[in-house]
Amino acid sequence: MAKTSVVQDYQHPQRGATATLTNDEKIQREAIRNNIRRPKGFTVSYHANPEMEDMHFGRNHPMKPWRLTLTNKIVMSYGMHKAMNVYKPRRATPEEIGKFHKADYVDFLQNVMPGQNTYIPTTQTYMYGTGDDCPIFDGLWDYCSLYTGASLDAARKLTSNQSTIAINWSGGLHHAKKPEASGFCYINDIVLAILQLLLHHPRVLYIDIDVHHGDGVEQAFWSTDRVMTVSFHKYSPQDFFPGTGALVDTGPLNNSSPGAHHALNVPLNDGIDDDQYQQLFKDIIGPCVQIYQPTAIVIQCGADSLGGDRLGCFNLNVGAHGFCVQYVKNFRLPLLVLGGGGYTPRNVAKAWAYETSICIEADLHPNLPAHMPLLEHFKNEKTLFPKLDSAKYENKNSRVYLDSVVMGVHEQLRYLQGAPSVQMRWIPPDLAGLRGELEKELWVEKVKGEREGDEVD
């Protein structure tokens, strides 16, 4: 009796085919299923450095950079990366960061070590705003330079017309001040990105939908009319960080200052719902764009304004949060989309993935792809649109109150005498080197021509 192998190699009945799909094939099928393709007429870029995902503020700290891992897994599993230009940006240099932040503060961030005592007994404060909210952790400078580098890279892609929409979910840290850290934020990448945009754009509109007031960005541009800031946030000076952003806070008190009335605040109470928020956003952002006429828009999509957030107090669902991105995108202006707050990682990831789909005009199936890595971390909510408006917070925003807020913002817009004009009398630094090279080439050609003329004579 001939001996045969008990276990034989399985032969797939179709020649050249494999028994199971590879992960790439599953992603390709998911992309086809969701009709994901490169958008026509505009380009979207996605800026992400995987090194950001390894950072750790500390076990009990609410900021979890791991939320970026979940976001990227959802984006990749749906196949959305196939519709975008994906970049791994370089770190920002100390010189680039120093265009806004003070040199001594930048030097401190580069050299401070975990465990180093930064407490100042005489003033009972911590050096440069560090402490419980902004701890010194291993890799701090890498963290700062990575997310800032991504925002700068995204801004440059917009100014060079390589992208129409540029996304950096690791950015949007809006509390950092020129000389210090604040509210989990060390470097204000938003300010630096806007400064980059201002090299080419006369006016930039900054919109902030984080549950916390975008105080750092607002303060940075108080002295100019080339940036208008609009912040939608919970306002309660006594018990909610940072305690700023009242309706009457509209920039410098001196009306002769160019920045007067260019900082608009939309103070909200606990529990605002989807319908209220979407209507409010339209009623305010529409007139801002019409009157200010920005040539570029930056939107900070802090996801702590979602219902059920660990530090938030609104009752918004993913769809309402994404509505803001859709509304702004419809203006068809160069758009920089940034992350921000958000302290329930699974919900943050879903919101940012959904907003990525809005940018590429993809209509996603609500069920998270079964082949997605880390799917188990979403437990029983394996849908892109979980129910987050379970009224954890009582809605304290009456129709009368919201109408008064809209009226107050419209009143501030009346002070603006149309869109400010800008005379570009100086050459942006990024173009100075190119101009020098061109002038040198022209000079060489001129000298060469003169010599050839002399030889003919």
Side-chain angles (χ1 to χ4, degrees), residues 11-301:
Q11 298 296 323
H12 195 276
Q14 183 177 347
R15 186 180 296 275
T18 57
T20 57
L21 294 173
T22 66
N23 199 53
D24 285 344
E25 289 171 329
K26 292 176 182 177
I27 291 173
Q28 181 63 31
R29 285 195 174 189
E30 192 69 33
I32 294 172
R33 178 191 184 196
N34 290 279
N35 197 28
I36 292 173
R37 60 188 68 183
R38 285 188 173 271
K40 295 181 179 180
F42 64 97
T43 303
V44 181
S45 59
Y46 193 82
H47 305 259
N49 193 317
E51 294 179 53
M52 272 291 298
E53 302 170 20
D54 297 329
M55 301 300 169
H56 199 260
F57 276 59
R59 181 176 181 180
N60 296 319
H61 199 285
M63 176 62 93
K64 307 293 184 186
W66 183 69
R67 62 196 181 148
L68 298 171
T69 303
L70 293 179
T71 302
N72 293 332
K73 294 300 183 187
I74 298 177
V75 169
M76 298 287 284
S77 296
Y78 272 109
M80 285 189 269
H81 58 290
K82 295 179 179 294
M84 303 182 285
N85 294 332
V86 180
Y87 297 97
K88 180 183 176 181
R90 64 169 175 81
R91 290 172 167 81
T93 66
E95 292 74 23
E96 288 172 326
I97 292 174
K99 291 184 183 297
F100 172 63
H101 290 282
K102 286 193 172 183
D104 58 332
Y105 175 51
V106 175
D107 183 67
F108 168 79
L109 291 177
Q110 283 183 274
N111 295 290
V112 69
M113 299 295 291
Q116 183 174 333
N117 185 10
T118 61
Y119 186 71
I120 308 172
T122 54
T123 58
Q124 295 186 345
T125 59
Y126 288 87
M127 296 174 62
Y128 299 105
T130 57
D132 292 339
D133 281 356
C134 299
I136 305 300
F137 57 87
D138 189 30
L140 175 59
W141 175 251
D142 289 336
Y143 171 74
C144 294
S145 58
L146 283 167
Y147 76 75
T148 303
S151 291
L152 287 173
D153 185 50
R156 288 180 179 127
K157 291 297 185 292
L158 293 175
T159 57
S160 63
N161 295 321
Q162 291 178 265
S163 301
T164 314
I165 302 174
I167 303 169
N168 171 29
W169 293 126
S170 68
L173 278 71
H174 58 171
H175 293 307
K177 310 299 193 299
K178 188 181 184 74
E180 64 182 9
S182 177
F184 311 163
C185 306
Y186 300 86
I187 298 298
N188 201 314
D189 63 291
I190 307 172
V191 171
L192 290 166
I194 292 175
L195 289 174
Q196 184 69 34
L197 293 174
L198 290 175
L199 296 176
H200 299 263
H201 289 279
R203 294 172 300 281
V204 175
L205 174 63
Y206 170 70
I207 303 168
D208 193 313
I209 59 172
D210 195 290
V211 76
H212 300 94
H213 177 224
D215 56 337
V217 182
E218 178 181 294
Q219 291 177 19
F221 295 109
W222 264 28
S223 62
T224 180
D225 57 4
R226 292 187 59 195
V227 178
M228 172 179 281
T229 62
V230 186
S231 178
F232 297 76
H233 52 269
K234 161 68 183 287
Y235 176 67
S236 181
Q238 293 77 28
D239 55 16
F240 198 79
F241 182 87
T244 54
L247 183 63
V248 296
D249 295 336
T250 60
L253 297 178
N254 185 353
N255 285 330
S256 63
S257 171
H261 308 292
H262 283 75
L264 303 180
N265 285 298
V266 185
L268 301 171
N269 299 315
D270 290 353
I272 190 168
D273 62 31
D274 291 354
D275 291 340
Q276 289 177 323
Y277 199 88
Q278 291 175 88
Q279 188 63 51
L280 187 69
F281 193 84
K282 289 193 296 184
D283 290 344
I284 288 175
I285 297 301
C288 284
V289 173
Q290 181 182 5
I291 294 172
Y292 187 62
Q293 297 178 29
T295 55
I297 297 177
V298 177
I299 182 167
Q300 193 264 23
C301 302

Side-chain angles (χ1 to χ4, degrees), residues 379-406:
K379 300 179 181 178
N380 296 324
E381 292 185 338
K382 296 180 175 62
T383 172
L384 201 59
F385 304 104
K387 184 174 177 56
L388 303 177
D389 59 347
S390 56
K392 178 181 178 182
Y393 289 92
E394 177 188 354
N395 191 342
K396 298 180 180 179
N397 298 275
S398 67
R399 176 67 181 272
V400 172
Y401 173 73
L402 294 178
D403 286 346
S404 70
V405 170
V406 172

Side-chain angles (χ1 to χ4, degrees), residues 353-373:
Y354 173 58
E355 285 154 13
T356 301
S357 76
I358 289 172
C359 292
I360 62 173
E361 298 184 345
D363 188 13
L364 300 182
H365 190 281
N367 296 331
L368 296 177
H371 59 269
M372 191 189 94

